[in-house]
Amino acid sequence: MSQQGYVAAPPYSQAQPGMGGYQAGFGPGPAQPLYGHYGGPPQAFNGPPAGGAMQSPPPPTSSVAQQPFQGPPPPAIGQPQMAPGQHPPLMSAQMSPPLSPPAGMPPMAGPPMTGMSRPFPGPPQHPAGPAGFQQPGPAGFPPQAGQFGGHMAGPQPGMPGAFPAAPASMAGPPQKKMDLDSIPSTTQVIQDDRVQHGGQIFCTNTRGQVPPLVTTDFTVQDQGNASPRFMRCTTYSLPCTAELAKQCQVPLAAVIKPLARLPKKETPLCVVNHGDSGPVRCNRCKAYMCPFMQFIDGGRRFQCGFCSCVNEVPDSYFQHLDHLGRRVDLYQRPELSLGSYEFEATIDYCKKNHPPNPPAYIFMIDVSYNNIKSGLVKMICEELKTLLEKLPREEGMENSPIKVGFVTYNKVLHFYNVKSSLAQPQMMVVSDTAEMFIPLLDGFLVNYQESSAVIANLLGQIPDMFADTNESETVFAPVIQAGVEAFKAAECSGKLFIFHSSMPTADAPGRLKNRDDKKLVNTEKEKTLFQPQKSVYEQLSKDCVLTGCCVDLFLFPSQYVDLASMADVTSHTGGSVYKYNNFLMAKDGEHFLRDLRKDVQKSIGFEAVMRVRTSTGFRATDFYGAIHMNNTTDVEMAAVDCDKAVTVEFKHDDTLSVESGALIQCALLYTTISGQRRLRIHNLSLNCSSQLSEVYRSSETDSLINFFAKSAYRAILNQPIKTVREILVSQTAHMLACYKKNCAGPSAASQLILPDAMKVFPVYMNSLMKTAPLVGSTELPTDDRAHQRLLVMSLGVEDTQLMLYPRLIPLHSMDANSEEPPAPVRCSEERLCESGIFLLENGHVMFLWLGQAISPDHAQKIFNVPSISHLQGHMLQIVQQRDKAELLFRQFLVEDKGLYGSASYMDFLCYIYREIRQLLT
């Protein structure tokens, strides 16, 4: 059934004045682009061949009818123009009158786009077209009483990226502001999905089934495909050919979180033990036994679902088939009936054919002057006294088998013997940092329960031992090297928890120099700011992965520390980077301790190797995460925890079959915290289609934006940021233009038609381009930009979704009789009101915004505190309306114009619409 597309209210044929510097940011594409997702020579943007397989019924779209444009033509040169920020008047959505385009939009320079290629050229810059349209807005959140807005929506005068004001003589009459509810709403999409799927059971017994959104609370029942908590895809229906994939430009990728947490109401993974023979595998492609294997010849042989090879069934694994051709023990064997399960690995899967030892945690504390003076060292030591009681342990175990060790350092390293038989801990100093070695073996890595008294004694003494230090210089690379040597000597894997505050300037390997040159911003050399400085860290990364040494870095800088270099090892070993600028105990202490507790206690696996296998016709080609790769197929991680995700991109190498679909198997070999070698298997079956409409219908915006974020953040290591931004905009326009041309029903040229599954994709893409790594501004600290780039590379789908579209919760609307918080509202200042209290959070920062007219008594009543100031510092930043601190808060209102010249959501839609129209003319 033919449907019209989603039609939004502003005249998309023309971007609004002051739309965020697109003229400078989106110029002509580079002559030799270096970044993209599909190979092949440039080609024209063509529709499907006449009578081809893609002539299919259109998928569901968000749609309304549209009246043709009948307004006046664009004004001639010299006619009055609208002032920046003004919009044409908006009539009642139900009346749907024709809209006149705003006058005075300057033409965009640049050559027209002639086609797509690998990689994709930047978007064209064309004069505005003369068409506009509008539609009834979706059921969104109505504006609240006392709305205000506008005075800080864009860059302020004198700030980078500020928009020039139009001369008074050119300003038209006052215009009504655009209605935000006339364009697709992320909060409404989230709410609709919760209404439809919330609280329900999602059974995984259907191939290519699109799961509920990550923001919806649902229960998964594994019936043959992996839970979406472990694996989500950008689309659950792959195009059958590379040509179709190239045409629609929808990336084919999966975001895999192999050790993801499962809610208590869901069944933990089953562990299968096949004894000394080990798990059954395909002889050709080495895929593990799974529900996709077909048993034949009375159960004596099986055909691999991945490569079609026919294999003999081992005698010990033989079972008869029933009248349907299924094994009679189908439901007694997890590997035959479930999408996710674990095998106990045999000795063949162990390093040097020797069972691994339990891992160890080493806490390495920078005891230089700044850390002692701030009280940080004492805080760490006090926290560890209780935190070590809560080290992770296997289900049913009374105590954790993880061993612990302690190192302090400045220009030299201090190792501590905390053997249980000692009355007092002993310190050994290593001053030769060029040739790092471990001065003791027995007594350095110990069982906490056995040595708890000696450890408590040590943690009490450390702050006093260095209380009078004046040493401000530190080393860094030798600290990591010491951890590697300790794990080698103990023949175990483990994690380093490093607490560091300054750039390592002492004369030692890995010494760094300040290279924070703001003149490089917005130049070809800006990419060097994100690249590690010293090859010593690259070699350290390899050593760490080989040893199974994961590095978690807690940074407390007061100035530039070259995070891109210092965190390089962390970013390749499955570790995490935490950063607390200008650390103050009263302000940041609780935040730091929460991070530390979560980091130490989270479930984790060590010495991990991940392989992603696929059925014939496509293959895994690129991998994004906190990973290391020695070859093109094995993803190596010194450790992988329950929060780490790897995003995998797929490419065609043959035609896919609609009948057999596409299969993915992720196999993770890792060591548990008890020292057992395990294989965790996740299987997923996808549909294949020769109809582009199915590809779009089965797509998932949250997974798409996760892929685009990671691919863009990797690209800025090698390309100018401007080029990367151009490619992001170009691919967005191509995806949506292909949909309109090939999938939507008959519609007016002036309609912006969005796939139902991707109708809020533009707001996420625009938000991504406002993130610090992709904004070329000298106002943004280089370390902050590098930190966000590294952080995102290992995030899962739910984390990137929240980061790119924060929750804005109107706490003043809270129902006193309900335990549920109010529904979030759109992330725009138009939703703020002077009598309101709003909580904004994105998984990394949290703000409490107080309107000018809010009563202090009301705020205190909501939080049940004697004073609102009691909340400050507990991971929460309190912002008063129109205070200076409000500038920081407004950076997270992602539907509005950014502080550094980036576009609003409304303006970004305008620009994308014009690009789509140009591609289709």
Side-chain angles (χ1 to χ4, degrees):
M1 181 177 172
S2 180
Q3 291 183 310
Q4 295 293 328
Y6 193 102
V7 186
Y12 286 95
S13 57
Q14 299 196 36
Q16 303 301 306
M19 66 175 286
Y22 277 119
Q23 199 162 5
F26 302 130
Q32 296 290 330
L34 303 169
Y35 165 72
H37 309 301
Y38 288 96
Q43 63 177 27
F45 190 89
N46 298 320
M54 289 178 291
Q55 300 298 328
S56 61
T61 55
S62 301
S63 61
V64 294
Q66 167 63 30
Q67 295 189 21
F69 171 78
Q70 298 175 347
I77 296 176
Q79 286 185 325
Q81 299 185 31
M82 289 173 59
Q86 291 182 335
H87 298 280
L90 182 70
M91 302 289 288
S92 167
Q94 285 72 23
M95 295 170 63
S96 298
L99 267 180
S100 300
M105 181 63 195
M108 299 284 191
M113 179 181 294
T114 57
M116 298 179 294
S117 65
R118 174 189 174 90
F120 315 113
Q125 311 292 343
H126 299 291
F133 51 85
Q134 76 171 49
Q135 66 108 42
F141 294 90
Q144 298 174 6
Q147 268 188 32
F148 73 99
H151 78 284
M152 292 170 67
Q156 306 309 302
M159 295 186 67
F163 308 120
S169 61
M170 298 174 66
Q175 302 287 345
K176 185 177 178 181
K177 197 175 181 68
M178 282 287 184
D179 180 11
L180 199 63
D181 289 325
S182 63
I183 55 178
S185 163
T186 301
T187 52
Q188 191 60 49
V189 168
I190 291 172
Q191 186 62 30
D192 290 346
D193 195 75
R194 286 175 175 168
V195 170
Q196 185 175 358
H197 301 291
Q200 296 186 11
I201 294 176
F202 177 74
C203 296
T204 68
N205 57 353
T206 305
R207 188 178 80 185
Q209 186 179 13
V210 182
L213 298 180
V214 291
T215 45
T216 298
D217 181 19
F218 61 99
T219 301
V220 178
Q221 191 173 91
D222 187 341
Q223 294 186 355
N225 281 286
S227 164
R229 305 193 200 286
F230 295 121
M231 195 183 308
R232 282 183 176 265
C233 294
T234 53
T235 178
Y236 289 80
S237 186
L238 303 185
C240 280
T241 66
E243 194 63 31
L244 279 181
K246 194 183 300 184
Q247 185 178 353
C248 72
Q249 296 288 300
V250 175
L252 310 180
V255 185
I256 303 172
K257 190 185 277 191
L259 296 185
R261 293 186 189 91
L262 292 178
K264 291 183 179 179
K265 55 188 174 183
E266 293 181 14
T267 307
L269 265 58
C270 298
V271 181
V272 180
N273 186 356
H274 284 312
D276 293 339
S277 61
V280 179
R281 305 176 69 177
C282 172
N283 291 327
R284 181 193 290 168
C285 71
K286 303 302 180 184
Y288 292 89
M289 181 56 65
C290 68
F292 308 144
M293 305 301 191
Q294 180 66 45
F295 288 86
I296 57 177
D297 197 14
R300 287 184 288 273
R301 296 191 295 170
F302 72 90
Q303 184 173 26
C304 177
F306 294 88
C307 70
S308 300
C309 176
V310 176
N311 301 265
E312 296 292 328
V313 174
D315 291 342
S316 60
Y317 199 70
F318 172 79
Q319 186 55 269
H320 294 286
L321 307 184
D322 64 13
H323 66 288
L324 296 175
R326 303 179 305 181
R327 285 174 57 119
V328 296
D329 63 349
L330 175 69
Y331 294 108
Q332 281 74 53
R333 289 193 176 275
E335 73 272 21
L336 300 181
S337 56
L338 298 177
S340 298
Y341 42 87
E342 289 195 333
F343 291 117
E344 288 190 14
T346 61
I347 200 72
D348 300 333
Y349 292 89
C350 300
K351 191 182 293 185
K352 299 179 182 177
N353 288 336
H354 187 277
N357 293 314
Y361 285 178
I362 304 179
F363 298 89
M364 316 183 91
I365 306 172
D366 168 5
V367 289
S368 60
Y369 176 78
N370 284 340
N371 284 2
I372 295 292
K373 182 182 177 183
S374 69
L376 176 63
V377 171
K378 185 171 185 179
M379 173 180 276
I380 293 170
C381 291
E382 287 298 318
E383 179 62 26
L384 289 180
K385 290 179 183 178
T386 55
L387 184 55
L388 294 178
E389 298 274 2
K390 303 171 185 175
L391 292 171
R393 57 179 68 96
E394 297 279 6
E395 191 76 27
M397 293 181 66
E398 184 177 347
N399 295 318
S400 173
I402 295 175
K403 293 188 174 183
V404 295
F406 303 89
V407 174
T408 56
Y409 67 94
N410 38 52
K411 288 195 340 185
V412 299
L413 277 71
H414 321 103
F415 296 81
Y416 297 93
N417 186 341
V418 286
K419 194 174 181 180
S420 58
S421 59
L422 296 175
Q424 290 283 335
Q426 297 174 345
M427 176 200 284
M428 296 187 180
V429 180
V430 175
S431 56
D432 184 4
T433 53
E435 298 291 336
M436 184 50 58
F437 66 97
I438 302 299
L440 74 158
L441 296 178
D442 187 30
F444 179 60
L445 296 178
V446 299
N447 180 284
Y448 173 71
Q449 278 72 29
E450 295 175 1
S451 298
S452 58
V454 186
I455 291 172
N457 197 335
L458 170 66
L459 294 173
Q461 291 181 28
I462 285 176
D464 296 331
M465 279 193 283
F466 300 96
D468 298 326
T469 184
N470 290 315
E471 186 58 72
S472 58
E473 284 192 321
T474 58
V475 296
F476 185 67
V479 178
I480 299 175
Q481 190 65 53
V484 171
E485 298 302 325
F487 292 145
K488 283 182 181 177
E491 296 185 344
C492 71
S493 54
K495 181 187 278 194
L496 309 181
F497 296 83
I498 302 180
F499 307 91
H500 194 92
S501 65
S502 60
M503 183 183 290
T505 56
D507 187 12
R511 178 183 182 181
L512 297 176
K513 295 180 180 178
N514 191 328
R515 56 174 184 145
D516 187 19
D517 187 355
K518 296 294 187 183
K519 294 178 182 177
L520 299 182
V521 175
N522 289 322
T523 72
E524 290 284 330
K525 293 185 178 180
E526 183 174 9
K527 59 192 175 189
T528 62
L529 297 175
F530 299 105
Q531 298 167 352
Q533 189 177 157
K534 285 277 189 178
S535 60
V536 64
Y537 291 107
E538 183 178 350
Q539 185 58 47
L540 258 182
S541 296
K542 295 177 181 177
D543 293 345
C544 284
V545 172
L546 193 62
T547 309
C549 172
C550 173
V551 179
D552 278 2
L553 180 57
F554 293 80
L555 278 174
F556 308 87
S558 57
Q559 56 189 1
Y560 175 76
V561 295
D562 193 359
L563 187 142
S565 297
M566 293 190 68
D568 185 54
V569 176
T570 296
S571 69
H572 288 94
T573 60
S576 302
V577 182
Y578 303 89
K579 186 164 175 281
Y580 313 90
N581 293 335
N582 300 306
F583 178 82
L584 293 174
M585 286 180 60
K587 176 175 67 75
D588 307 302
E590 187 60 30
H591 184 190
F592 158 61
L593 292 179
R594 283 173 184 259
D595 287 342
L596 177 59
R597 291 163 190 160
K598 180 182 175 184
D599 198 48
V600 169
Q601 297 177 53
K602 67 172 62 172
S603 57
I604 189 170
F606 293 92
E607 295 179 288
V609 180
M610 190 175 90
R611 173 76 70 89
V612 178
R613 294 178 172 87
T614 58
S615 53
T616 54
F618 75 119
R619 60 190 171 86
T621 57
D622 283 298
F623 302 85
Y624 304 86
I627 59 176
H628 176 77
M629 298 194 71
N630 268 326
N631 54 48
T632 58
T633 57
D634 293 335
V635 178
E636 298 184 60
M637 294 167 280
V640 54
D641 62 52
C642 54
D643 295 324
K644 295 294 185 296
V646 178
T647 300
V648 184
E649 185 181 8
F650 302 102
K651 299 281 180 63
H652 288 79
D653 50 22
D654 205 346
T655 300
L656 298 174
S657 165
V658 174
E659 291 74 27
S660 57
L663 308 177
I664 301 172
Q665 184 180 83
C666 167
L668 179 79
L669 175 65
Y670 73 102
T671 302
T672 67
I673 53 178
S674 62
Q676 187 180 50
R677 205 71 171 142
R678 294 257 185 96
L679 280 157
R680 178 170 286 209
I681 311 297
H682 298 300
N683 304 289
L684 188 64
S685 60
L686 305 175
N687 288 330
C688 297
S689 179
S690 57
Q691 300 175 346
L692 285 176
S693 58
E694 282 299 317
V695 178
Y696 286 98
R697 190 201 312 269
S698 302
S699 64
E700 189 185 72
T701 288
D702 296 334
S703 297
L704 279 168
I705 202 64
N706 178 281
F707 170 81
F708 277 115
K710 292 182 180 182
S711 57
Y713 281 7
R714 176 186 288 179
I716 63 176
L717 292 175
N718 303 304
Q719 296 181 74
I721 287 173
K722 178 186 174 186
T723 302
V724 175
R725 289 172 59 91
E726 289 168 354
I727 294 166
L728 289 174
V729 176
S730 171
Q731 192 159 0
T732 301
H734 273 92
M735 285 194 299
L736 300 179
C738 179
Y739 175 80
K740 178 170 182 176
K741 186 175 185 70
N742 300 302
C743 306
S747 61
S750 59
Q751 287 182 312
L752 173 63
I753 304 179
L754 303 172
D756 196 58
M758 295 171 62
K759 64 185 177 185
V760 292
F761 179 75
V763 74
Y764 283 107
M765 179 57 78
N766 189 45
S767 178
L768 170 61
M769 292 197 297
K770 293 181 184 182
T771 57
L774 295 178
V775 173
S777 170
T778 56
E779 298 292 314
L780 293 170
T782 302
D783 278 343
D784 287 357
R785 299 176 72 197
H787 181 222
Q788 184 166 350
R789 194 194 77 81
L790 293 174
L791 172 72
V792 167
M793 293 306 290
S794 62
L795 292 184
V797 176
E798 63 274 27
D799 300 314
T800 48
Q801 184 279 326
L802 184 58
M803 186 193 79
L804 294 174
Y805 200 92
R807 279 191 285 258
L808 183 62
I809 302 172
L811 296 181
H812 55 276
S813 302
M814 185 178 293
D815 183 352
N817 299 319
S818 172
E819 294 183 359
E820 289 292 317
V825 297
R826 298 185 74 144
C827 212
S828 169
E829 74 166 350
E830 286 196 16
R831 290 298 186 255
L832 303 177
C833 57
E834 295 193 351
S835 58
I837 303 176
F838 291 83
L839 182 72
L840 184 145
E841 62 101 5
N842 72 348
H844 305 282
V845 296
M846 189 181 297
F847 293 93
L848 186 68
W849 184 91
L850 305 175
Q852 277 191 323
I854 190 67
S855 160
D857 293 340
H858 185 43
Q860 290 160 210
K861 184 179 178 182
I862 288 178
F863 294 100
N864 193 27
V865 291
S867 168
I868 203 71
S869 61
H870 279 65
L871 300 171
Q872 186 80 30
H874 293 270
M875 299 181 65
L876 185 67
Q877 301 181 54
I878 297 177
V879 175
Q880 296 276 353
Q881 182 183 352
R882 296 192 175 92
D883 277 0
K884 185 178 180 181
E886 196 180 24
L887 276 174
L888 178 61
F889 166 79
R890 287 178 181 273
Q891 290 185 40
F892 298 93
L893 299 178
V894 295
E895 292 200 22
D896 300 339
K897 290 180 180 177
L899 294 180
Y900 305 104
S902 50
S904 69
Y905 172 31
M906 185 89 71
D907 290 337
F908 184 71
L909 271 180
C910 292
Y911 189 84
I912 289 297
Y913 168 74
R914 293 176 54 229
E915 299 305 308
I916 293 171
R917 288 201 67 192
Q918 186 61 38
L919 285 169
L920 297 178
T921 53

